[in-house]
Amino acid sequence: MKLQQYKDKYKTLLKDQHFGFVLKGSMTTALSLFFVQGLRFLSGIIIARYYGATVSGQLTLVVTVMSMFAIVANFGVKDALQKLIPEYREKYNLRSAYQIYLKGNLLIAVFSSLCMLAMYFTAHILSVEWNEPELEWCFKISGVFLLFFALSDLNYFSLRAILKVHVSNILLVAGTVIRMLVLLVLTYFFFNVYNPIYLHWWTLCLLPWVLSCIPIFQYFKHPSRQEDVMRQVSYRQILQLAFPMLLTYLSFFLTISIDVFILKYYDVSTDHIGIFKTCVNISTLASAILISLNTTIQPKITQLYYSNQTDEIARLTQRSSKLMFWLSLPIFIVFLFGSRYVMWMYGKEFIAGAFCLSILTVGQIFNTACGPIAQFLNATGHHASIRNLSFLAVAINILLNFLLIPVYGIEGAAWANAMNVVVWNTVGSIYVKRKFGFHIFYVPFISERK
């Protein structure tokens, strides 16, 4: 009987024009992300057990450096297009939106080329400072794959901006399946300690770009060929919108990655850094629902905002926050109370990170309950507010890491991460309430009484 009631309730929710779209999009995205995160979880176990914590740490260093330069290569263009594409598609036509996409690709190509040169010339400095001389050539070659990494990310979010959520989900799943298969083949037949890094270059940079170009042509370029451009956007307009987002992304990157640099500053071993970042990666599985809904809801909020449907935005975001919390709760419970068993699956040396995983999970619980704050502010044009919140988060995170890491090591980094998430979301929630007159966070049992 209860099962039928849930089915009826789900059908009722789907009849809601706006929330039904977000629900279907986020649920399919969530299923895709759970599948993807599950495969990444398994690939992480394979890398940990067959390659060890030290190789996991080296992979973390390469990915961290590459991610840092990727933010500059993107220059906020991806996020600017997340706002401009649905806006121009709604106000004008698909052809006008596609012209924005093309200009975004050219801008990213230029910035990526500059970043590739910068990576080449800083590789030696990084390898010496981190006492990892064998990684110098890895840092240099990573610059070559930077362009494909940035463009594939742009394609993925552009598909979502034109509301092709299911297609982007299929791409995500396909790429991860291929990555898993390649990892198995390399590990069992062509074992090399650098296989995880090779895998990152080919299956997380080049392959996603190749795969994503196909639906971009099919669903974006081809349908728009018969239309005329109704409104042009200049490169300057894109950059004016992108630059605050670049600062925001740099702040977010520092917030989630500064711990690696500070851990290295205090000479924490590479294997412990690998254990810590493994905990961080696992904890993101707990927020898979949040990620899936966030990538689906932003274009819809943009559409409603420019249609002057503020009340509908409030209802949509509040219901979304509630959905995210309850769907994520089972994962939170497992990671919070069963962290030792989760880390054991990676190998005995990874059990040292069990408490770190529990701490990080607390932060993710708070993050999920507060809802899509950044996406809401981005979609409503409050990019400067996100930038300011991000600067606050960076300052707090750096301070906490310098205070806690010397005393508690990787557990100190985990506490800094979790406390920073709590502060950022609290300040963001207060700002949304004061600016718009409604809240988007969800507090179990209490929110229902309001």
Side-chain angles (χ1 to χ4, degrees):
M1 183 66 181
K2 280 190 175 182
L3 181 61
Q4 186 59 44
Q5 289 177 342
Y6 287 128
K7 287 182 178 179
D8 293 339
K9 190 172 183 178
Y10 180 71
K11 290 178 181 178
T12 302
L13 292 173
L14 289 179
K15 291 179 182 178
D16 186 316
Q17 179 185 357
H18 301 299
F19 186 71
F21 169 81
V22 173
L23 180 61
K24 285 188 290 185
S26 59
M27 289 302 291
T28 55
T29 303
L31 290 174
S32 302
L33 278 179
F34 276 126
F35 181 75
V36 167
Q37 295 281 33
L39 287 183
R40 288 178 180 174
F41 184 79
L42 292 175
S43 66
I45 292 175
I46 292 173
I47 292 172
R49 285 191 171 270
Y50 285 89
Y51 296 88
T54 299
V55 173
S56 296
Q58 290 176 336
L59 176 63
T60 294
L61 296 178
V62 172
V63 172
T64 299
V65 171
M66 198 170 179
S67 299
M68 176 179 64
F69 281 98
I71 292 172
V72 180
N74 176 63
F75 207 82
V77 172
K78 174 191 71 177
D79 298 275
L81 266 59
Q82 271 281 89
K83 178 182 182 298
L84 290 172
I85 287 176
E87 177 186 343
Y88 273 64
R89 181 176 179 270
E90 181 74 17
K91 287 183 177 180
Y92 307 108
N93 61 6
L94 191 63
R95 183 67 175 180
S96 301
Y98 183 68
Q99 287 298 309
I100 298 173
Y101 165 79
L102 291 178
K103 291 181 177 180
N105 272 265
L106 182 57
L107 287 171
I108 286 179
V110 172
F111 292 129
S112 295
S113 300
L114 296 174
C115 287
M116 180 177 65
L117 292 174
M119 284 188 71
Y120 183 86
F121 289 110
T122 57
H124 178 70
I125 299 172
L126 290 171
S127 62
V128 171
E129 287 295 321
W130 287 347
N131 195 27
E132 297 284 351
E134 66 276 13
L135 291 183
E136 180 178 348
W137 67 275
C138 292
F139 292 141
K140 290 180 178 179
I141 295 178
S142 293
V144 177
F145 290 90
L146 194 64
L147 171 63
F148 303 108
F149 181 77
L151 289 179
S152 65
D153 212 23
L154 178 65
N155 284 351
Y156 178 79
F157 282 93
S158 294
L159 286 169
R160 290 183 172 274
I162 60 172
L163 306 182
K164 295 299 179 181
V165 178
H166 302 309
V167 178
S168 62
N169 291 338
I170 292 172
L171 288 174
L172 189 62
V173 171
T176 309
V177 170
I178 294 172
R179 181 176 184 270
M180 184 67 179
L181 293 175
V182 173
L183 175 61
L184 290 172
V185 172
L186 290 176
T187 301
Y188 288 102
F189 298 104
F190 306 97
F191 184 86
N192 185 295
V193 292
Y194 293 108
N195 279 346
I197 296 175
Y198 298 152
L199 197 70
H200 179 75
W201 289 338
W202 292 102
T203 63
L204 286 177
C205 299
L206 182 61
L207 179 66
W209 176 73
V210 173
L211 293 177
S212 62
C213 284
I214 300 172
I216 284 291
F217 176 83
Q218 182 178 359
Y219 296 108
F220 206 175
K221 180 181 179 180
H222 183 72
S224 67
R225 286 193 302 181
Q226 304 303 318
E227 299 175 339
D228 295 323
V229 178
M230 295 178 64
R231 182 69 178 267
Q232 288 276 7
V233 172
S234 67
Y235 289 106
R236 183 177 180 179
Q237 287 175 291
I238 295 175
L239 291 175
Q240 284 177 336
L241 183 59
F243 185 69
M245 296 180 177
L246 167 65
L247 298 178
T248 300
Y249 253 89
L250 283 173
S251 300
F252 273 124
F253 172 79
L254 289 173
T255 301
I256 64 176
S257 300
I258 194 65
D259 42 35
V260 172
F261 294 95
I262 299 177
L263 285 166
K264 266 298 181 183
Y265 176 79
Y266 285 110
D267 293 324
V268 174
S269 61
T270 302
D271 59 335
H272 274 72
I273 291 176
I275 292 171
F276 171 70
K277 272 304 178 181
T278 298
C279 294
V280 174
N281 294 336
I282 295 173
S283 70
T284 58
L285 181 61
S287 59
I289 299 292
L290 174 66
I291 296 170
S292 63
L293 189 137
N294 284 348
T295 56
T296 305
I297 200 172
Q298 183 169 328
K300 177 57 69 173
I301 293 176
T302 300
Q303 182 185 36
L304 293 173
Y305 183 72
Y306 285 99
S307 301
N308 296 316
Q309 300 184 55
T310 307
D311 292 339
E312 185 62 29
I313 293 175
R315 191 177 68 87
L316 177 66
T317 51
Q318 290 164 1
R319 297 183 75 176
S320 299
S321 298
K322 178 180 179 180
L323 176 71
M324 285 188 291
F325 179 84
W326 287 111
L327 290 179
S328 302
L329 187 61
I331 306 174
F332 291 146
I333 293 173
V334 172
F335 286 175
L336 191 59
F337 300 105
S339 57
R340 185 176 179 84
Y341 300 101
V342 174
M343 297 307 297
W344 171 82
M345 288 189 287
Y346 282 78
K348 290 184 179 179
E349 60 183 331
F350 283 83
I351 296 177
F355 190 44
C356 285
L357 178 58
S358 296
I359 295 169
L360 292 166
T361 301
V362 172
Q364 291 299 329
I365 293 172
F366 199 88
N367 188 32
T368 300
C370 286
I373 295 174
Q375 287 68 29
F376 175 83
L377 293 175
N378 257 336
T380 54
H382 290 77
H383 313 106
S385 301
I386 300 179
R387 179 198 62 206
N388 295 338
L389 284 171
S390 301
F391 288 163
L392 173 65
V394 170
I396 293 172
N397 200 34
I398 292 175
L399 176 63
L400 290 174
N401 272 290
F402 274 113
L403 290 174
L404 298 175
I405 287 177
V407 182
Y408 301 106
I410 60 174
E411 290 177 359
W415 278 117
N417 183 300
M419 292 165 69
N420 179 64
V421 168
V422 171
V423 172
W424 192 96
N425 281 281
T426 300
V427 175
S429 297
I430 293 172
Y431 177 81
V432 170
K433 174 66 175 177
R434 290 184 175 179
K435 187 71 177 180
F436 295 91
F438 59 84
H439 65 79
I440 63 175
F441 60 83
Y442 173 74
V443 180
F445 308 113
I446 295 177
S447 293
E448 282 88 347
R449 297 175 188 172
K450 295 182 178 181

